[in-house]
Amino acid sequence: MVEQVDLIRLNQVGVRYQTGNEALKDVSLSIKKGEFVFLVGSSGSGKSTFIKALLREVRTTSGELFVENKRVEKLKRREIPFYRRRIGVVFQEFRLLGDRNVFENVALAQRVIGIARKEKIKKNVCEMLKMVGLAGKEKAYPKELSGGEQQRVAIARAMVNRPSILLADEPTGNLDPENSWEIMRLLEEMNRLGTTVVVVTHNHEIVDQMKKRVVTVQKGRIVSDMMQGGYEV
Ligand code: ADP
Ligand code: MG
């Protein structure tokens, strides 16, 4: 069946907030397993709403949203935590716990899903920290790290449970160009290892150079969707 290759599928999705604000309008989009997609568009165009709808932090108010062939709108409250395990998220402002060290910040994601064995957590966390280039920083606290390093911790935390989807909402918004590139390369590496990646960004240079699929939204609607696209907002 054709549907089975679509990891994420939206059919005429709308999101209307209680204020009456229509953040997404008639959005239809399919993302296949293993894709890397940039989502671009000016501020207020609905990008974060799209990410939140995928996480079921906001409810769609029309249309259908499928993730891994599951209708997201139909998830029961008790199913939501399990559903969210399939998705890793990274934000512009890192959102690390300031009073926990690097190891603990990542380990917490494993404990939340019920992994209890210390050795197993240690193995997974250290493996992940190595992958993001932070081996040896386990005991550091977030404030002792650069912005780029903090974002690497956030990526390790998002990936440690091996989700099938990684969502990043302006992950380089607080970083200088060099660190931005390193973070994007890291997201590309996660994609190469099999994770489907969706990245919201305003970084023209990176979008233009990476030659990935680029979906552009404007006022809640998709206005272009290009393979090997560029930043056209
Ligand atoms: P972007 O991430 O592209 O900047 P958002 O998805 O955050 O855009 O917002 C899209 C639109 O929805 C904007 O007009 C914004 O003001 C509005 N919006 C976002 N969140 C809410 C909310 N919780 N309640 C009402 N309106 C919202
Ligand atoms: Mg946003």
Side-chain angles (χ1 to χ4, degrees):
M1 267 199 323
V2 176
E3 294 96 298
Q4 285 180 341
V5 293
D6 289 335
L7 194 61
I8 298 170
R9 185 155 55 93
L10 291 83
N11 287 335
Q12 300 183 298
V13 164
V15 171
R16 175 195 286 269
Y17 286 109
Q18 279 175 350
T19 53
N21 220 329
E22 276 189 271
L24 293 179
K25 296 169 201 159
D26 195 24
V27 170
S28 295
L29 178 73
S30 290
I31 297 176
K32 292 187 170 47
K33 189 168 160 39
E35 278 198 285
F36 186 116
V37 182
F38 280 125
L39 184 62
V40 306
S42 46
S43 186
S45 55
K47 306 179 300 295
S48 294
T49 300
F50 178 86
I51 298 287
K52 288 175 187 165
L54 285 178
L55 291 166
R56 233 198 84 164
E57 284 176 15
V58 307
R59 304 290 295 260
T60 60
T61 43
S62 56
E64 300 171 317
L65 168 57
F66 295 90
V67 173
E68 292 183 321
N69 283 327
K70 255 192 169 345
R71 180 88 191 268
V72 174
E73 297 89 345
K74 304 265 184 192
L75 291 171
K76 301 205 167 61
R77 187 183 288 266
R78 65 183 152 76
E79 295 175 311
I80 291 174
F82 297 95
Y83 166 73
R84 288 188 182 141
R85 286 180 195 183
R86 310 298 306 138
I87 306 178
V89 209
V90 178
F91 302 96
Q92 176 170 358
E93 64 278 15
F94 320 134
R95 300 195 191 176
L96 301 175
L97 299 174
D99 60 346
R100 306 287 177 100
N101 67 25
V102 166
F103 181 90
E104 280 303 315
N105 265 281
V106 181
L108 214 57
Q110 292 251 281
R111 296 205 183 95
V112 164
I113 68 164
I115 297 176
R117 271 185 52 221
K118 273 191 175 169
E119 314 82 69
K120 189 171 179 189
I121 291 178
K122 188 165 182 211
K123 178 176 168 287
N124 291 341
V125 172
C126 291
E127 214 171 87
M128 214 52 235
L129 287 173
K130 192 172 165 202
M131 199 182 285
V132 302
L134 287 179
K137 294 277 188 186
E138 290 81 1
K139 294 208 163 70
Y141 283 81
K143 67 172 186 298
E144 300 164 350
L145 303 176
S146 72
E149 287 171 330
Q150 290 184 54
Q151 195 60 298
R152 287 167 183 276
V153 177
I155 292 172
R157 179 183 57 188
M159 292 299 300
V160 71
N161 297 334
R162 307 290 169 151
S164 49
I165 301 170
L166 178 60
L167 304 176
D169 195 348
E170 303 197 35
T172 65
N174 287 345
L175 302 178
D176 60 33
E178 191 182 327
N179 277 301
S180 298
W181 269 110
E182 285 181 5
I183 291 301
M184 286 297 181
R185 291 295 177 214
L186 191 53
L187 296 175
E188 194 177 34
E189 172 73 0
M190 298 304 165
N191 177 243
R192 202 184 56 79
L193 296 170
T195 313
T196 302
V197 176
V198 180
V199 184
V200 172
T201 187
H202 287 292
N203 194 314
H204 296 227
E205 193 191 318
I206 286 177
V207 171
D208 286 341
Q209 287 194 35
M210 282 177 72
K211 306 259 189 300
K212 304 291 189 188
R213 180 176 176 189
V214 181
V215 174
T216 306
V217 289
Q218 234 172 56
K219 295 184 180 155
R221 292 181 193 276
I222 293 181
V223 294
S224 92
D225 181 354
M226 310 262 281
M227 292 298 167
Q228 304 189 325
Y231 198 110
E232 290 172 5
V233 187

